[in-house]
Amino acid sequence: MKGKSDIRYQKAEGIILFLLSAVCFLTCPLWAYVPGKFYYEGKTKERVIALTFDDGPGRTTPAILDLLKRHHIHATFFMEGSQIEGYAAIARQVVAEGHEVGNHTYIHFDYHNVKNAAPARLVHESEQTEAALQRAAGIQTTIVRMPYGYFNHTWLLPTLKAHGYALVHWSFGTDWILSKSADQMAKEYIAHARPGAVFLFHDEGRHREKTLEALTTVINTLEQQGYRFIPAREMFKE
């Protein structure tokens, strides 16, 4: 039979645990996205820009990770399932270094092509990518970026909502236009810098040495102007 001192101790312990939980709830940042919501630009006056990368992981990803590490930057990487399977170790490195990961479908199918662009295909591709992420890095994501920036008001957002995903777009990106020089790319990104901007770069594909060069210039220049680079989860925390 428990004595009065034991009962008082248990009550005090319960109160302490409750208070600790409350403090954590009130002070810890919440990174949750709202399923089915469309995010593309942050609502802030602070000089922060969300840095995002598509189409990887790939051959240029490690060099980009090194650059980000030197500047103490965390970013968001939207990965293709087929790329994860080919570069599993790099996918793990992205996660291990604290970056956010999003789903960029499995094979980068162009959903602007009406033929075969259906909810069932997107769900299947997303599940394939999630399975690849689980195998490579043991994680699951709750955000999607559509290939080629595809969007519609009929089935896309309802489908993503039904499967627990938010849609994260971007406010500016130009590094996929390979006719541009790295210097031209950098100047355009810098010209479009503003609080709450979401920059899109690519860490896989042809001539990503241009991306790396432009990204280096963009980071160096905008940091000197007082900007800070963050992952999408920090820009859009609810």
Side-chain angles (χ1 to χ4, degrees), residues 163-223:
H163 291 82
Y165 289 110
L167 180 63
V168 178
H169 200 66
W170 64 89
S171 63
F172 184 75
T174 188
D175 75 321
W176 64 84
I177 305 176
L178 300 181
S179 60
K180 295 179 183 291
S181 67
D183 184 59
Q184 287 175 308
M185 292 176 186
K187 287 179 179 177
E188 291 177 357
Y189 280 97
I190 292 166
H192 284 82
R194 61 179 179 270
V198 179
F199 279 176
L200 163 62
F201 288 94
H202 295 78
D203 57 323
E204 175 59 318
R206 293 187 299 128
H207 297 299
R208 290 301 165 224
E209 72 280 357
K210 289 184 180 181
T211 292
L212 181 59
E213 184 179 344
L215 176 64
T216 302
T217 301
V218 168
I219 290 174
N220 288 333
T221 302
L222 292 182
E223 283 187 337

Side-chain angles (χ1 to χ4, degrees), residues 16-231:
I16 291 171
L17 289 173
F18 172 78
L19 291 174
L20 288 174
S21 299
V23 169
C24 183
F25 177 79
L26 292 172
T27 60
C28 295
L30 301 177
W31 303 123
Y33 294 91
V34 176
K37 188 172 179 178
F38 176 51
Y39 299 90
Y40 67 96
E41 190 172 48
K43 297 178 181 179
T44 180
K45 294 181 180 179
E46 185 181 358
R47 286 197 163 195
V48 291
I49 294 174
L51 205 53
T52 68
F53 298 89
D54 284 10
D55 295 359
R59 294 160 295 179
T60 312
T61 310
I64 289 175
L65 290 175
D66 287 344
L67 173 63
L68 298 181
K69 183 182 291 186
R70 290 197 299 273
H71 288 263
H72 308 288
I73 293 171
H74 285 117
T76 302
F77 289 79
F78 290 93
M79 297 185 181
E80 294 177 34
S82 57
Q83 290 294 122
I84 295 168
E85 292 180 346
Y87 297 92
I90 298 177
R92 284 192 293 275
Q93 182 183 355
V94 171
V95 174
E97 294 185 7
H99 299 284
E100 181 181 28
V101 174
N103 191 317
H104 198 40
T105 73
Y106 189 75
I107 59 168
H108 210 275
F109 175 76
D110 187 356
Y111 285 80
H112 291 96
N113 181 353
V114 177
K115 185 179 180 181
N116 297 324
R121 181 185 183 113
L122 176 60
V123 171
H124 179 63
E125 281 206 62
S126 299
E127 289 175 347
Q128 285 180 297
T129 300
E130 293 297 340
L133 267 175
Q134 278 288 342
R135 289 191 296 270
I139 65 166
Q140 183 174 349
T141 182
T142 58
I143 52 174
V144 165
R145 174 169 283 167
M146 292 297 291
Y148 306 105
Y150 179 77
F151 180 80
N152 71 48
H153 292 278
T154 53
W155 62 265
L156 180 57
L157 289 182
T159 300
L160 293 176
K161 182 177 181 179
H163 291 82
Y165 289 110
L167 180 63
V168 178
H169 200 66
W170 64 89
S171 63
F172 184 75
T174 188
D175 75 321
W176 64 84
I177 305 176
L178 300 181
S179 60
K180 295 179 183 291
S181 67
D183 184 59
Q184 287 175 308
M185 292 176 186
K187 287 179 179 177
E188 291 177 357
Y189 280 97
I190 292 166
H192 284 82
R194 61 179 179 270
V198 179
F199 279 176
L200 163 62
F201 288 94
H202 295 78
D203 57 323
E204 175 59 318
R206 293 187 299 128
H207 297 299
R208 290 301 165 224
E209 72 280 357
K210 289 184 180 181
T211 292
L212 181 59
E213 184 179 344
L215 176 64
T216 302
T217 301
V218 168
I219 290 174
N220 288 333
T221 302
L222 292 182
E223 283 187 337
Q224 290 176 3
Q225 295 179 13
Y227 279 94
R228 184 167 59 89
F229 294 95
I230 60 176

